[in-house]
Amino acid sequence: GQQVMQIPQYQHVQEGEDFTTYCNSSTTLSNIQWYKQRPGGHPVFLIQLVKSGEVKKQKRLTFQFGEAKKNSSLHITATQTTDVGTYFCAGRGSSGDKLTFGTGTRLAVRP
Amino acid sequence: DTEVTQTPKHLVMGMTNKKSLKCEQHMGHRAMYWYKQKAKKPPELMFVYSYEKLSINESVPSRFSPECPNSSLLNLHLHALQPEDSALYLCASSQGQALGRGNTIYFGEGSWLTVV
């Protein structure tokens, strides 16, 4: 079945440093979604990418979808303590079937 | 703030109890989901309802029984659970067909379940 891995599992950065999490799927995806889950909270939808090579920005967050539609990345510029949480990618297979969540990357930010 | 409402937020139940988790959404979404999330793990899909019909059951044990009384409500009935079933149970919804490619899934805040 489809597997979606994220690296790193955990990253601890100093406030102001940049952060990137990478998402890799075992199969080609029709689209990919990114979610943020704060400690003790629930996943909150951030963005969806659909097109090969697509890049979208939300303030300090930049999302990319790979040309082969098998990988994606989330980059945060100049992290803030409010960025703390676990970031999940979630990919939908090319046949449009269920959403499979990645393993997640937990971000900690030192003030 | 989420527009998917789940109750109760916390539930402690014994292994012989029968309880239910409830979920409600008023966004007009026609697909609703139950996910289970253990600590430090991603959400795992349990059930999908599309237009009030069960469309996916991810081989979930029968001690979990979903119910969709109408397009806005989704219940998860719990009976004879095990301690390893303790987890965060997330309800979610999306527009239109459950497996539509463009569908964004919106999560509720979850119900924290502890089985003792």
Side-chain angles (χ1 to χ4, degrees):
Chain A
Q2 183 181 3
Q3 292 186 334
V4 182
M5 304 296 292
Q6 285 182 251
I7 53 170
Q9 278 190 307
Y10 172 74
Q11 188 151 9
H12 198 170
V13 300
Q14 183 70 42
E15 189 173 20
E17 290 180 341
D18 292 357
F19 159 78
T20 304
T21 172
Y22 299 91
C23 174
N24 294 289
S25 170
S26 58
T27 58
T28 303
L29 302 171
S30 62
N31 63 57
I32 196 153
Q33 299 173 11
W34 283 91
Y35 292 81
K36 176 184 177 181
Q37 186 170 18
R38 292 180 185 276
H42 62 284
V44 175
F45 173 76
L46 294 177
I47 208 157
Q48 176 175 264
L49 304 170
V50 178
K51 298 176 185 174
S52 169
E54 189 170 12
V55 177
K56 287 189 176 180
K57 292 191 176 186
Q58 287 181 350
K59 297 183 180 178
R60 295 178 295 104
L61 278 60
T62 301
F63 303 83
Q64 286 191 308
F65 199 9
E67 293 290 341
K69 301 184 78 172
K70 292 183 73 174
N71 56 69
S72 181
S73 65
L74 158 59
H75 179 81
I76 302 179
T77 304
T79 54
Q80 300 175 357
T81 54
T82 52
D83 295 326
V84 163
T86 300
Y87 292 85
F88 291 103
C89 63
R92 201 182 293 281
S94 54
S95 60
D97 58 7
K98 65 179 182 179
L99 205 60
T100 299
F101 277 80
T103 47
T105 296
R106 189 160 63 95
L107 172 64
V109 179
R110 286 189 300 271
Chain B
D1 288 336
T2 183
E3 294 184 69
V4 179
T5 305
Q6 289 187 243
T7 56
K9 291 207 178 346
H10 297 272
L11 177 63
V12 179
M13 62 184 289
M15 289 188 283
T16 58
N17 291 161
K18 281 187 182 180
K19 297 285 185 184
S20 297
L21 305 180
K22 297 185 183 300
C23 176
E24 188 170 7
Q25 58 88 12
H26 293 290
M27 295 181 281
H29 289 175
R30 302 312 299 268
M32 296 187 77
Y33 311 77
W34 280 113
Y35 282 82
K36 172 183 176 180
Q37 187 177 26
K38 302 282 273 186
K40 298 185 180 180
K41 297 291 184 184
E44 294 178 7
L45 183 64
M46 298 175 73
F47 302 104
V48 180
Y49 273 82
S50 183
Y51 292 87
E52 301 163 45
K53 287 186 169 38
L54 182 64
S55 62
I56 294 180
N57 176 342
E58 289 287 288
S59 302
V60 179
S62 59
R63 57 186 185 268
F64 296 91
S65 175
E67 178 197 16
C68 188
N70 60 54
S71 60
S72 300
L73 295 174
L74 186 65
N75 299 323
L76 186 62
H77 302 298
L78 314 170
H79 174 54
L81 295 193
Q82 304 296 312
E84 57 265 29
D85 296 320
S86 299
L88 176 66
Y89 288 85
L90 293 159
C91 175
S93 69
S94 65
Q95 263 185 331
Q97 187 177 350
L99 303 181
R101 294 183 181 189
N103 284 344
T104 299
I105 295 179
Y106 296 94
F107 286 89
E109 294 184 355
S111 293
W112 292 92
L113 174 66
T114 303
V115 182
V116 297

